[in-house]
Amino acid sequence: MRASHKRFVMSAVLPIALLGSMAAQCGPDNSDPSAATTTPAPAGTPVPTATAAATGTAGPATSAAPTGKPGPAKALSSDDLLKALLTKADVPGTTKSDSGPAGGDSKTVADKAACQPVFDLMDATNAATKPAAAVQASFKTGSNVGVMVQLYQFGAGQADKAMSSAAAALGSCSSIPSTVPGNDNEKLVVSTSKLSYPTLGDATLAFKLSYTGQTTAEYSYVFVRSGDAVINLSNVATASVTQPDQALVKKQFDKVKAAQ
């Protein structure tokens, strides 16, 4: 597979033999769903706090802010995104890391156009609608495993469209035959499965991809949208990839949110 995520980790951080660093898209598995926090309220929208109940009377529960609407946030530059990236110190077990601008690799093209939004989200710098700024970092965390992060700043409304289009495509694209024209027309078959994940930010999407081609690998992705910015954090492994660690995703989300 030659999606830019995988290529970046293998070429910029590790040789192909150390495919494990591709796991950079996700951290250690966290089986405690309570690690995720409640979706923050949009600016100007008060979130009611829990009220103590009178004896024998149940008090109202705390209400979470609605999700799915772009939050008020400034557009982040490449420098802003680079400063917001997780560092080696943030990712437990990292033995090697690298970071820099995202993009520049060959585009993966789905044989069925209806499935292309999945690739366009995970490889946004090669999509028809590209982000205005994009950076990435990769972390080798073990033998044949790693974590990768990409941060995108889209134009107004484009991040919401990219994520919603990918979510819709996943519903009918469980197997995606595809081609990489820039890599001698390499043929791939990509199996997909949508995953559940605690909601964070304005929208959250999680799914797993398994690639079969010149090389094989598994990715487990979590995408979080904050306004027009998208956080793409994933684990990659040659087999049996784990889901991204919720605490690590939350830490990256908090850093982007603070930059906005």
Side-chain angles (χ1 to χ4, degrees), residues 163-164 166-168 170-171 192-196 204-208 243:
M163 283 189 61
S164 60
L170 284 168
T192 74
S193 55
K194 199 170 180 178
L195 304 174
S196 60
T204 304
L205 177 64
F207 56 90
K208 177 181 175 180
Q243 244 190 321

Side-chain angles (χ1 to χ4, degrees), residues 40-133:
T45 303
V47 179
T49 56
T51 304
T55 304
T57 304
T62 301
S63 300
T67 61
K69 297 180 180 179
K74 75 170 186 178
L76 301 177
S77 66
S78 293
D79 286 343
D80 292 330
L81 293 176
L82 281 171
K83 292 175 183 176
L85 273 171
L86 292 174
T87 66
K88 183 177 179 179
D90 294 318
V91 184
T94 296
T95 58
K96 193 168 186 179
S97 64
D98 200 0
S99 62
D105 291 310
S106 302
K107 180 176 182 176
T108 301
V109 180
D111 290 356
K112 288 179 58 178
C115 299
Q116 188 63 37
V118 177
F119 293 148
D120 286 350
L121 179 62
M122 50 177 271
D123 188 16
T125 58
N126 281 311
T129 300
K130 298 175 175 59

Side-chain angles (χ1 to χ4, degrees), residues 139-249:
F139 306 88
K140 184 179 186 296
T141 58
S143 177
N144 295 327
V145 295
V147 175
M148 187 162 181
V149 181
Q150 293 192 326
L151 305 181
Y152 307 136
Q153 174 64 55
F154 285 92
Q158 293 175 353
D160 185 23
K161 183 177 180 180
M163 283 189 61
S164 60
S165 295
L170 284 168
S172 59
C173 297
S174 60
S175 179
I176 311 177
S178 52
T179 305
V180 188
N183 191 52
D184 297 327
N185 289 319
E186 177 186 358
K187 296 296 183 181
L188 305 170
V189 176
V190 182
S191 300
T192 74
S193 55
K194 199 170 180 178
L195 304 174
S196 60
Y197 206 83
T199 299
L200 192 63
D202 295 312
T204 304
L205 177 64
F207 56 90
K208 177 181 175 180
L209 299 183
S210 298
Y211 297 95
T212 302
Q214 291 181 9
T215 58
T216 60
E218 294 182 0
Y219 285 79
S220 184
Y221 290 87
V222 174
F223 291 86
V224 179
R225 181 173 65 80
S226 178
D228 291 310
V230 171
I231 296 161
N232 168 3
L233 195 147
S234 60
N235 279 3
V236 60
T238 50
S240 302
V241 69
T242 58
Q243 244 190 321
D245 177 49
Q246 294 175 22
L248 196 60
V249 175

